[in-house]
Amino acid sequence: SGVERLGDMIARAKTIVPFTGAGISTECGIPDFRSPGGIWTRNRPIQFEEFVASQEARDESWRRRFAMEEVFAAARPGRGHRALAALHRAGKIPAVITQNIDNLHQASGFAADRGIELHGNTTYARCIGCGQVYQLDWVKRRFEADGAAPNCTECDEPVKTATISFGQAMPEDEMQRATELSQACDLFIAIGSSLVVWPAAGFPMMAKNSGARLVIINREPTEQDEIADLVIHHDIGEALGPFVGN
Ligand code: OAD
Ligand code: ZN
């Protein structure tokens, strides 16, 4: 079966780089973006330019974030996260590249510099002007006191979750590290992503072009199934559960 072949490929590989999307966190209670019930089936994304230009858009963005707080605060690493962490401890996985913003790879045992967050992190906030970090509690208190999303106390520019919105520049260091990892691995595993959002979706092809074998694990077909050496259309927790160990 596909899962057995995956086991062989993992056993033979020296350097495995996982690339994860929202599908690895759905069993943790966090909705993905494009499945039925997903975030973008309920809300239109707020573009970065809108966030910069409009207090209305900033207020709406923060209201959405606060509405998700219980979900993010309660989420714990799932079987997929724990399997990758076990393979990391075993020395097979140097780092994980993720599009996710939920901090769950870090929570499962990847140090901050071993969980490459291409789309940032929603568990804290930053000023979009000077980069000053803010805790979400601070933003919430200010929002409740003023009835509006706050600006930075240092430079008066808007404060935003530390995530990358559509239209916002990708983080350079993370892109560079993800490039190096993709080019250096011998097995690249795309897990729980529809593989439609670029430039992130370019890493599987980059790995393949550098000689890695490519595995895709996703419930639904993806944009890039045809370039994969192995496609597993299966639940992630089921497919990776055998690698969780103790
Ligand atoms: P998507 O919602 O596009 O894709 C998630 C995929 O995971 C879907 O194809 C699901 O079928 C699959 N899936 C969900 N749960 C699963 C499970 N338990 N087992 C197996 N498969 C499962 O999410 P991403 O590809 O991560 O970016 O989205 C990419 C980017 O689009 C996000 O990082 C975000 C979003 O807009 C920005 O906001 C910049
Ligand atoms: Zn600032």
Side-chain angles (χ1 to χ4, degrees):
S1 74
V3 178
E4 279 163 14
R5 273 191 69 200
L6 174 64
D8 285 346
M9 289 168 89
I10 287 175
R12 285 198 198 123
K14 257 179 66 186
T15 308
I16 304 170
V17 170
F19 171 83
T20 63
I24 198 172
S25 298
T26 53
E27 76 171 27
C28 314
I30 301 172
D32 67 10
F33 293 93
R34 296 174 181 82
S35 291
I39 306 270
W40 297 153
T41 69
R42 289 181 277 150
N43 281 317
R44 178 185 68 79
I46 296 169
Q47 308 281 322
F48 185 63
E49 308 87 86
E50 294 178 69
F51 186 94
V52 173
S54 150
Q55 180 72 44
E56 191 67 35
R58 293 195 287 280
D59 293 352
E60 171 63 13
S61 170
W62 276 109
R63 275 193 294 270
R64 288 183 190 178
R65 178 60 187 84
F66 296 144
M68 289 290 289
E69 182 51 21
E70 283 182 30
V71 167
F72 282 119
R76 296 291 171 269
R79 287 170 293 177
H81 300 99
R82 281 152 46 214
L84 299 183
L87 290 166
H88 178 49
R89 285 193 300 274
K92 288 259 183 191
I93 291 179
V96 53
I97 306 171
T98 190
Q99 299 168 91
N100 298 342
I101 58 175
D102 55 28
N103 207 50
L104 289 177
H105 289 299
Q106 279 79 359
S108 74
F110 283 88
D113 65 337
R114 301 288 161 167
I116 316 292
E117 296 173 319
L118 296 175
H119 294 163
N121 189 308
T122 194
T123 64
Y124 61 97
R126 266 185 196 286
C127 166
I128 63 172
C130 72
Q132 171 81 30
V133 169
Y134 290 91
Q135 299 310 308
L136 299 189
D137 282 349
W138 178 89
V139 178
K140 187 143 202 258
R141 281 199 310 272
R142 286 290 311 272
F143 195 109
E144 281 167 359
D146 303 345
N151 285 358
C152 180
T153 58
E154 304 292 315
C155 75
D156 205 36
E157 292 291 317
V159 173
K160 182 180 170 292
T161 56
T163 53
I164 306 296
S165 299
F166 289 115
Q168 190 171 4
M170 295 293 284
E172 278 175 30
D173 283 5
E174 283 77 1
M175 286 298 288
Q176 182 58 37
R177 296 228 25 235
T179 299
E180 287 162 10
L181 285 160
S182 300
Q183 291 175 339
C185 65
D186 53 15
L187 178 60
F188 187 100
I189 312 180
I191 303 166
S193 176
S194 56
L195 302 176
V196 296
V197 174
W198 294 72
F203 289 111
M205 176 69 90
M206 185 185 290
K208 177 122 180 111
N209 288 342
S210 302
R213 299 231 272 167
L214 173 61
V215 176
I216 294 177
I217 308 174
N218 205 64
R219 206 152 49 193
E220 304 284 322
T222 79
E223 289 278 290
Q224 302 188 32
D225 285 2
E226 62 207 34
I227 67 164
D229 297 283
L230 173 65
V231 177
I232 301 177
H233 286 158
H234 204 53
D235 179 75
I236 292 160
E238 297 294 317
L240 293 180
F243 303 98
V244 169
N246 296 305

mmCIF file with all atom_site columns, all heavy atoms in Angstrom, residues 1-20:
data_model
loop_
_atom_site.group_PDB
_atom_site.id
_atom_site.type_symbol
_atom_site.label_atom_id
_atom_site.label_alt_id
_atom_site.label_comp_id
_atom_site.label_asym_id
_atom_site.label_entity_id
_atom_site.label_seq_id
_atom_site.pdbx_PDB_ins_code
_atom_site.Cartn_x
_atom_site.Cartn_y
_atom_site.Cartn_z
_atom_site.occupancy
_atom_site.B_iso_or_equiv
_atom_site.pdbx_formal_charge
_atom_site.auth_seq_id
_atom_site.auth_comp_id
_atom_site.auth_asym_id
_atom_site.auth_atom_id
_atom_site.pdbx_PDB_model_num
ATOM 1   N N   . SER A 1 1  ? 0.837  -1.209 0.000  1.00 0.00 ? 1  SER A N   1
ATOM 2   C CA  . SER A 1 1  ? 0.000  0.000  0.000  1.00 0.00 ? 1  SER A CA  1
ATOM 3   C C   . SER A 1 1  ? 0.867  1.251  0.000  1.00 0.00 ? 1  SER A C   1
ATOM 4   O O   . SER A 1 1  ? 2.079  1.185  0.201  1.00 0.00 ? 1  SER A O   1
ATOM 5   C CB  . SER A 1 1  ? -0.873 0.021  1.257  1.00 0.00 ? 1  SER A CB  1
ATOM 6   O OG  . SER A 1 1  ? -0.069 0.337  2.380  1.00 0.00 ? 1  SER A OG  1
ATOM 7   N N   . GLY A 1 2  ? 0.229  2.402  -0.197 1.00 0.00 ? 2  GLY A N   1
ATOM 8   C CA  . GLY A 1 2  ? 0.950  3.670  -0.192 1.00 0.00 ? 2  GLY A CA  1
ATOM 9   C C   . GLY A 1 2  ? 1.651  3.929  1.119  1.00 0.00 ? 2  GLY A C   1
ATOM 10  O O   . GLY A 1 2  ? 2.799  4.381  1.152  1.00 0.00 ? 2  GLY A O   1
ATOM 11  N N   . VAL A 1 3  ? 0.968  3.601  2.228  1.00 0.00 ? 3  VAL A N   1
ATOM 12  C CA  . VAL A 1 3  ? 1.567  3.874  3.535  1.00 0.00 ? 3  VAL A CA  1
ATOM 13  C C   . VAL A 1 3  ? 2.792  2.985  3.764  1.00 0.00 ? 3  VAL A C   1
ATOM 14  O O   . VAL A 1 3  ? 3.801  3.426  4.331  1.00 0.00 ? 3  VAL A O   1
ATOM 15  C CB  . VAL A 1 3  ? 0.518  3.710  4.662  1.00 0.00 ? 3  VAL A CB  1
ATOM 16  C CG1 . VAL A 1 3  ? 1.147  3.938  6.024  1.00 0.00 ? 3  VAL A CG1 1
ATOM 17  C CG2 . VAL A 1 3  ? -0.647 4.682  4.454  1.00 0.00 ? 3  VAL A CG2 1
ATOM 18  N N   . GLU A 1 4  ? 2.740  1.731  3.281  1.00 0.00 ? 4  GLU A N   1
ATOM 19  C CA  . GLU A 1 4  ? 3.920  0.862  3.400  1.00 0.00 ? 4  GLU A CA  1
ATOM 20  C C   . GLU A 1 4  ? 5.079  1.390  2.561  1.00 0.00 ? 4  GLU A C   1
ATOM 21  O O   . GLU A 1 4  ? 6.232  1.388  3.005  1.00 0.00 ? 4  GLU A O   1
ATOM 22  C CB  . GLU A 1 4  ? 3.585  -0.568 2.964  1.00 0.00 ? 4  GLU A CB  1
ATOM 23  C CG  . GLU A 1 4  ? 2.895  -1.350 4.059  1.00 0.00 ? 4  GLU A CG  1
ATOM 24  C CD  . GLU A 1 4  ? 2.198  -2.591 3.520  1.00 0.00 ? 4  GLU A CD  1
ATOM 25  O OE1 . GLU A 1 4  ? 2.464  -2.995 2.358  1.00 0.00 ? 4  GLU A OE1 1
ATOM 26  O OE2 . GLU A 1 4  ? 1.372  -3.148 4.268  1.00 0.00 ? 4  GLU A OE2 1
ATOM 27  N N   . ARG A 1 5  ? 4.773  1.806  1.343  1.00 0.00 ? 5  ARG A N   1
ATOM 28  C CA  . ARG A 1 5  ? 5.837  2.384  0.496  1.00 0.00 ? 5  ARG A CA  1
ATOM 29  C C   . ARG A 1 5  ? 6.438  3.614  1.145  1.00 0.00 ? 5  ARG A C   1
ATOM 30  O O   . ARG A 1 5  ? 7.655  3.833  1.090  1.00 0.00 ? 5  ARG A O   1
ATOM 31  C CB  . ARG A 1 5  ? 5.285  2.754  -0.891 1.00 0.00 ? 5  ARG A CB  1
ATOM 32  C CG  . ARG A 1 5  ? 5.331  1.617  -1.875 1.00 0.00 ? 5  ARG A CG  1
ATOM 33  C CD  . ARG A 1 5  ? 5.039  2.091  -3.287 1.00 0.00 ? 5  ARG A CD  1
ATOM 34  N NE  . ARG A 1 5  ? 6.082  2.920  -3.859 1.00 0.00 ? 5  ARG A NE  1
ATOM 35  C CZ  . ARG A 1 5  ? 5.907  3.755  -4.887 1.00 0.00 ? 5  ARG A CZ  1
ATOM 36  N NH1 . ARG A 1 5  ? 4.703  3.904  -5.419 1.00 0.00 ? 5  ARG A NH1 1
ATOM 37  N NH2 . ARG A 1 5  ? 6.909  4.447  -5.366 1.00 0.00 ? 5  ARG A NH2 1
ATOM 38  N N   . LEU A 1 6  ? 5.583  4.433  1.785  1.00 0.00 ? 6  LEU A N   1
ATOM 39  C CA  . LEU A 1 6  ? 6.089  5.608  2.496  1.00 0.00 ? 6  LEU A CA  1
ATOM 40  C C   . LEU A 1 6  ? 7.072  5.173  3.586  1.00 0.00 ? 6  LEU A C   1
ATOM 41  O O   . LEU A 1 6  ? 8.140  5.774  3.744  1.00 0.00 ? 6  LEU A O   1
ATOM 42  C CB  . LEU A 1 6  ? 4.923  6.390  3.115  1.00 0.00 ? 6  LEU A CB  1
ATOM 43  C CG  . LEU A 1 6  ? 5.313  7.568  4.006  1.00 0.00 ? 6  LEU A CG  1
ATOM 44  C CD1 . LEU A 1 6  ? 6.033  8.658  3.201  1.00 0.00 ? 6  LEU A CD1 1
ATOM 45  C CD2 . LEU A 1 6  ? 4.066  8.161  4.694  1.00 0.00 ? 6  LEU A CD2 1
ATOM 46  N N   . GLY A 1 7  ? 6.719  4.116  4.318  1.00 0.00 ? 7  GLY A N   1
ATOM 47  C CA  . GLY A 1 7  ? 7.603  3.593  5.359  1.00 0.00 ? 7  GLY A CA  1
ATOM 48  C C   . GLY A 1 7  ? 8.965  3.215  4.802  1.00 0.00 ? 7  GLY A C   1
ATOM 49  O O   . GLY A 1 7  ? 10.005 3.554  5.379  1.00 0.00 ? 7  GLY A O   1
ATOM 50  N N   . ASP A 1 8  ? 8.990  2.543  3.650  1.00 0.00 ? 8  ASP A N   1
ATOM 51  C CA  . ASP A 1 8  ? 10.259 2.176  3.005  1.00 0.00 ? 8  ASP A CA  1
ATOM 52  C C   . ASP A 1 8  ? 11.052 3.412  2.624  1.00 0.00 ? 8  ASP A C   1
ATOM 53  O O   . ASP A 1 8  ? 12.261 3.482  2.828  1.00 0.00 ? 8  ASP A O   1
ATOM 54  C CB  . ASP A 1 8  ? 9.996  1.379  1.716  1.00 0.00 ? 8  ASP A CB  1
ATOM 55  C CG  . ASP A 1 8  ? 9.556  -0.049 2.021  1.00 0.00 ? 8  ASP A CG  1
ATOM 56  O OD1 . ASP A 1 8  ? 9.719  -0.472 3.182  1.00 0.00 ? 8  ASP A OD1 1
ATOM 57  O OD2 . ASP A 1 8  ? 9.058  -0.708 1.086  1.00 0.00 ? 8  ASP A OD2 1
ATOM 58  N N   . MET A 1 9  ? 10.361 4.371  2.033  1.00 0.00 ? 9  MET A N   1
ATOM 59  C CA  . MET A 1 9  ? 11.057 5.580  1.575  1.00 0.00 ? 9  MET A CA  1
ATOM 60  C C   . MET A 1 9  ? 11.640 6.347  2.757  1.00 0.00 ? 9  MET A C   1
ATOM 61  O O   . MET A 1 9  ? 12.755 6.863  2.693  1.00 0.00 ? 9  MET A O   1
ATOM 62  C CB  . MET A 1 9  ? 10.102 6.470  0.758  1.00 0.00 ? 9  MET A CB  1
ATOM 63  C CG  . MET A 1 9  ? 9.763  5.861  -0.607 1.00 0.00 ? 9  MET A CG  1
ATOM 64  S SD  . MET A 1 9  ? 8.389  6.707  -1.442 1.00 0.00 ? 9  MET A SD  1
ATOM 65  C CE  . MET A 1 9  ? 9.257  7.978  -2.350 1.00 0.00 ? 9  MET A CE  1
ATOM 66  N N   . ILE A 1 10 ? 10.900 6.405  3.860  1.00 0.00 ? 10 ILE A N   1
ATOM 67  C CA  . ILE A 1 10 ? 11.392 7.102  5.059  1.00 0.00 ? 10 ILE A CA  1
ATOM 68  C C   . ILE A 1 10 ? 12.588 6.354  5.639  1.00 0.00 ? 10 ILE A C   1
ATOM 69  O O   . ILE A 1 10 ? 13.586 6.959  6.032  1.00 0.00 ? 10 ILE A O   1
ATOM 70  C CB  . ILE A 1 10 ? 10.254 7.262  6.100  1.00 0.00 ? 10 ILE A CB  1
ATOM 71  C CG1 . ILE A 1 10 ? 9.266  8.336  5.615  1.00 0.00 ? 10 ILE A CG1 1
ATOM 72  C CG2 . ILE A 1 10 ? 10.809 7.626  7.474  1.00 0.00 ? 10 ILE A CG2 1
ATOM 73  C CD1 . ILE A 1 10 ? 8.026  8.507  6.480  1.00 0.00 ? 10 ILE A CD1 1
ATOM 74  N N   . ALA A 1 11 ? 12.506 5.015  5.663  1.00 0.00 ? 11 ALA A N   1
ATOM 75  C CA  . ALA A 1 11 ? 13.614 4.228  6.215  1.00 0.00 ? 11 ALA A CA  1
ATOM 76  C C   . ALA A 1 11 ? 14.892 4.419  5.398  1.00 0.00 ? 11 ALA A C   1
ATOM 77  O O   . ALA A 1 11 ? 15.986 4.496  5.944  1.00 0.00 ? 11 ALA A O   1
ATOM 78  C CB  . ALA A 1 11 ? 13.225 2.752  6.250  1.00 0.00 ? 11 ALA A CB  1
ATOM 79  N N   . ARG A 1 12 ? 14.747 4.532  4.068  1.00 0.00 ? 12 ARG A N   1
ATOM 80  C CA  . ARG A 1 12 ? 15.924 4.661  3.200  1.00 0.00 ? 12 ARG A CA  1
ATOM 81  C C   . ARG A 1 12 ? 16.480 6.070  3.133  1.00 0.00 ? 12 ARG A C   1
ATOM 82  O O   . ARG A 1 12 ? 17.654 6.259  2.818  1.00 0.00 ? 12 ARG A O   1
ATOM 83  C CB  . ARG A 1 12 ? 15.564 4.231  1.780  1.00 0.00 ? 12 ARG A CB  1
ATOM 84  C CG  . ARG A 1 12 ? 15.465 2.733  1.690  1.00 0.00 ? 12 ARG A CG  1
ATOM 85  C CD  . ARG A 1 12 ? 15.547 2.232  0.269  1.00 0.00 ? 12 ARG A CD  1
ATOM 86  N NE  . ARG A 1 12 ? 15.002 0.881  0.289  1.00 0.00 ? 12 ARG A NE  1
ATOM 87  C CZ  . ARG A 1 12 ? 13.996 0.481  -0.447 1.00 0.00 ? 12 ARG A CZ  1
ATOM 88  N NH1 . ARG A 1 12 ? 13.452 1.297  -1.334 1.00 0.00 ? 12 ARG A NH1 1
ATOM 89  N NH2 . ARG A 1 12 ? 13.553 -0.739 -0.335 1.00 0.00 ? 12 ARG A NH2 1
ATOM 90  N N   . ALA A 1 13 ? 15.636 7.065  3.388  1.00 0.00 ? 13 ALA A N   1
ATOM 91  C CA  . ALA A 1 13 ? 16.072 8.451  3.186  1.00 0.00 ? 13 ALA A CA  1
ATOM 92  C C   . ALA A 1 13 ? 17.086 8.872  4.256  1.00 0.00 ? 13 ALA A C   1
ATOM 93  O O   . ALA A 1 13 ? 17.016 8.431  5.405  1.00 0.00 ? 13 ALA A O   1
ATOM 94  C CB  . ALA A 1 13 ? 14.868 9.381  3.223  1.00 0.00 ? 13 ALA A CB  1
ATOM 95  N N   . LYS A 1 14 ? 18.001 9.716  3.851  1.00 0.00 ? 14 LYS A N   1
ATOM 96  C CA  . LYS A 1 14 ? 18.949 10.287 4.818  1.00 0.00 ? 14 LYS A CA  1
ATOM 97  C C   . LYS A 1 14 ? 18.424 11.603 5.341  1.00 0.00 ? 14 LYS A C   1
ATOM 98  O O   . LYS A 1 14 ? 18.506 11.896 6.527  1.00 0.00 ? 14 LYS A O   1
ATOM 99  C CB  . LYS A 1 14 ? 20.316 10.510 4.151  1.00 0.00 ? 14 LYS A CB  1
ATOM 100 C CG  . LYS A 1 14 ? 21.331 9.445  4.540  1.00 0.00 ? 14 LYS A CG  1
ATOM 101 C CD  . LYS A 1 14 ? 22.669 9.665  3.867  1.00 0.00 ? 14 LYS A CD  1
ATOM 102 C CE  . LYS A 1 14 ? 23.340 10.950 4.363  1.00 0.00 ? 14 LYS A CE  1
ATOM 103 N NZ  . LYS A 1 14 ? 24.582 11.242 3.598  1.00 0.00 ? 14 LYS A NZ  1
ATOM 104 N N   . THR A 1 15 ? 17.941 12.453 4.433  1.00 0.00 ? 15 THR A N   1
ATOM 105 C CA  . THR A 1 15 ? 17.470 13.779 4.822  1.00 0.00 ? 15 THR A CA  1
ATOM 106 C C   . THR A 1 15 ? 16.066 14.006 4.276  1.00 0.00 ? 15 THR A C   1
ATOM 107 O O   . THR A 1 15 ? 15.874 14.093 3.062  1.00 0.00 ? 15 THR A O   1
ATOM 108 C CB  . THR A 1 15 ? 18.411 14.868 4.268  1.00 0.00 ? 15 THR A CB  1
ATOM 109 O OG1 . THR A 1 15 ? 19.750 14.548 4.652  1.00 0.00 ? 15 THR A OG1 1
ATOM 110 C CG2 . THR A 1 15 ? 18.036 16.240 4.800  1.00 0.00 ? 15 THR A CG2 1
ATOM 111 N N   . ILE A 1 16 ? 15.122 14.075 5.192  1.00 0.00 ? 16 ILE A N   1
ATOM 112 C CA  . ILE A 1 16 ? 13.715 14.270 4.815  1.00 0.00 ? 16 ILE A CA  1
ATOM 113 C C   . ILE A 1 16 ? 13.302 15.694 5.157  1.00 0.00 ? 16 ILE A C   1
ATOM 114 O O   . ILE A 1 16 ? 13.570 16.167 6.265  1.00 0.00 ? 16 ILE A O   1
ATOM 115 C CB  . ILE A 1 16 ? 12.802 13.295 5.593  1.00 0.00 ? 16 ILE A CB  1
ATOM 116 C CG1 . ILE A 1 16 ? 13.242 11.842 5.369  1.00 0.00 ? 16 ILE A CG1 1
ATOM 117 C CG2 . ILE A 1 16 ? 11.339 13.503 5.204  1.00 0.00 ? 16 ILE A CG2 1
ATOM 118 C CD1 . ILE A 1 16 ? 12.551 10.845 6.298  1.00 0.00 ? 16 ILE A CD1 1
ATOM 119 N N   . VAL A 1 17 ? 12.675 16.362 4.210  1.00 0.00 ? 17 VAL A N   1
ATOM 120 C CA  . VAL A 1 17 ? 12.103 17.683 4.498  1.00 0.00 ? 17 VAL A CA  1
ATOM 121 C C   . VAL A 1 17 ? 10.591 17.627 4.298  1.00 0.00 ? 17 VAL A C   1
ATOM 122 O O   . VAL A 1 17 ? 10.111 17.418 3.192  1.00 0.00 ? 17 VAL A O   1
ATOM 123 C CB  . VAL A 1 17 ? 12.747 18.789 3.637  1.00 0.00 ? 17 VAL A CB  1
ATOM 124 C CG1 . VAL A 1 17 ? 11.983 20.106 3.780  1.00 0.00 ? 17 VAL A CG1 1
ATOM 125 C CG2 . VAL A 1 17 ? 14.207 18.987 4.054  1.00 0.00 ? 17 VAL A CG2 1
ATOM 126 N N   . PRO A 1 18 ? 9.842  17.799 5.397  1.00 0.00 ? 18 PRO A N   1
ATOM 127 C CA  . PRO A 1 18 ? 8.389  17.900 5.275  1.00 0.00 ? 18 PRO A CA  1
ATOM 128 C C   . PRO A 1 18 ? 7.979  19.337 4.968  1.00 0.00 ? 18 PRO A C   1
ATOM 129 O O   . PRO A 1 18 ? 8.636  20.288 5.409  1.00 0.00 ? 18 PRO A O   1
ATOM 130 C CB  . PRO A 1 18 ? 7.874  17.497 6.660  1.00 0.00 ? 18 PRO A CB  1
ATOM 131 C CG  . PRO A 1 18 ? 9.063  17.341 7.540  1.00 0.00 ? 18 PRO A CG  1
ATOM 132 C CD  . PRO A 1 18 ? 10.267 17.809 6.815  1.00 0.00 ? 18 PRO A CD  1
ATOM 133 N N   . PHE A 1 19 ? 6.905  19.459 4.225  1.00 0.00 ? 19 PHE A N   1
ATOM 134 C CA  . PHE A 1 19 ? 6.344  20.765 3.852  1.00 0.00 ? 19 PHE A CA  1
ATOM 135 C C   . PHE A 1 19 ? 4.857  20.680 4.181  1.00 0.00 ? 19 PHE A C   1
ATOM 136 O O   . PHE A 1 19 ? 4.150  19.875 3.577  1.00 0.00 ? 19 PHE A O   1
ATOM 137 C CB  . PHE A 1 19 ? 6.580  20.983 2.361  1.00 0.00 ? 19 PHE A CB  1
ATOM 138 C CG  . PHE A 1 19 ? 5.876  22.180 1.774  1.00 0.00 ? 19 PHE A CG  1
ATOM 139 C CD1 . PHE A 1 19 ? 6.423  23.448 1.879  1.00 0.00 ? 19 PHE A CD1 1
ATOM 140 C CD2 . PHE A 1 19 ? 4.670  22.030 1.095  1.00 0.00 ? 19 PHE A CD2 1
ATOM 141 C CE1 . PHE A 1 19 ? 5.776  24.545 1.316  1.00 0.00 ? 19 PHE A CE1 1
ATOM 142 C CE2 . PHE A 1 19 ? 4.031  23.126 0.530  1.00 0.00 ? 19 PHE A CE2 1
ATOM 143 C CZ  . PHE A 1 19 ? 4.590  24.387 0.646  1.00 0.00 ? 19 PHE A CZ  1
ATOM 144 N N   . THR A 1 20 ? 4.416  21.452 5.161  1.00 0.00 ? 20 THR A N   1
ATOM 145 C CA  . THR A 1 20 ? 3.056  21.215 5.657  1.00 0.00 ? 20 THR A CA  1
ATOM 146 C C   . THR A 1 20 ? 2.099  22.363 5.350  1.00 0.00 ? 20 THR A C   1
ATOM 147 O O   . THR A 1 20 ? 2.490  23.514 5.220  1.00 0.00 ? 20 THR A O   1
ATOM 148 C CB  . THR A 1 20 ? 3.068  20.957 7.186  1.00 0.00 ? 20 THR A CB  1
ATOM 149 O OG1 . THR A 1 20 ? 3.551  22.116 7.868  1.00 0.00 ? 20 THR A OG1 1
ATOM 150 C CG2 . THR A 1 20 ? 3.945  19.768 7.532  1.00 0.00 ? 20 THR A CG2 1
#
